[in-house]
Amino acid sequence: MNRILLGAAAAAAVLITPALACETITSAKVKLSACIDTTAWATQTPSGDQEFLYYSSDETIGFAVINENGAWPASQFREAILSNAVAAALDAKPENVSIVGERLENIGGKAWNVIEYQVQIPDGALLFQNFYYVQPGFGSSQFVYWSAPEGGTSTAFRAGQMLATVQFAE
């Protein structure tokens, strides 16, 4: 009897759980693709170096995908990321950018660098979580997420869901 009830509960959970609406994005610059849950992210018009741009449906989280054919040493790439952050900071001052943490993450079977930094802007602060991969022969890829600092945990969770779908084409 208990097995029947457990089976019925499991079947009901499967029927009630909505399926993710996956839209595969494929870079035109590097051999990389990922799945975007279109029920959670709204497409925006990218600008500058952005290849893809999305905002969460409640507009509290944004993320951009920036892909380039060229590759530089990871340390040089990191410095460029921080230089861009300073340029966007309040009064373009280095003291208005603070590094929260750095680590390596396995994404698509490859080691990606992650740098989290907070940028003071005129309206307050933004927390950036920048996942970047640079490799000769591949180029470079950045998945850059941002939110208010208090939304950092939720942003990291949402980033993890999407980054788990990243695939490299050979």
Side-chain angles (χ1 to χ4, degrees), residues 12-99:
V14 169
L15 293 174
I16 294 170
T17 304
L20 295 178
C22 177
E23 173 187 310
T24 299
I25 58 170
T26 303
S27 174
K29 298 178 181 180
V30 296
K31 294 181 178 184
L32 185 85
S33 66
C35 174
I36 305 299
D37 178 358
T38 56
T39 64
W41 297 102
T43 305
Q44 307 297 313
T45 302
S47 63
D49 292 332
Q50 299 168 344
E51 192 169 5
F52 304 99
L53 177 64
Y54 293 87
Y55 289 126
S56 60
S57 53
D58 63 2
E59 297 186 356
T60 59
I61 303 169
F63 88 88
V65 181
I66 303 167
N67 296 310
E68 301 179 68
N69 294 321
W72 303 267
S75 60
Q76 192 177 7
F77 204 83
R78 176 189 178 277
E79 290 306 313
I81 289 168
L82 293 174
S83 292
N84 287 336
V86 168
L90 181 66
D91 299 326
K93 292 184 177 178
E95 59 267 21
N96 288 325
V97 175
S98 57
I99 296 172

Side-chain angles (χ1 to χ4, degrees), residues 89-145:
L90 181 66
D91 299 326
K93 292 184 177 178
E95 59 267 21
N96 288 325
V97 175
S98 57
I99 296 172
V100 176
E102 296 185 72
R103 64 185 182 280
L104 291 174
E105 294 273 341
N106 184 333
I107 300 171
K110 303 201 184 286
W112 287 54
N113 292 284
V114 183
I115 184 168
E116 294 183 56
Y117 50 95
Q118 189 165 305
V119 177
Q120 295 300 318
I121 58 172
D123 296 334
L126 289 174
L127 176 66
F128 288 83
Q129 299 176 39
N130 189 322
F131 299 77
Y132 62 100
Y133 178 76
V134 184
Q135 188 67 37
F138 169 79
S140 63
S141 184
Q142 294 179 76
F143 284 70
V144 185
Y145 296 80

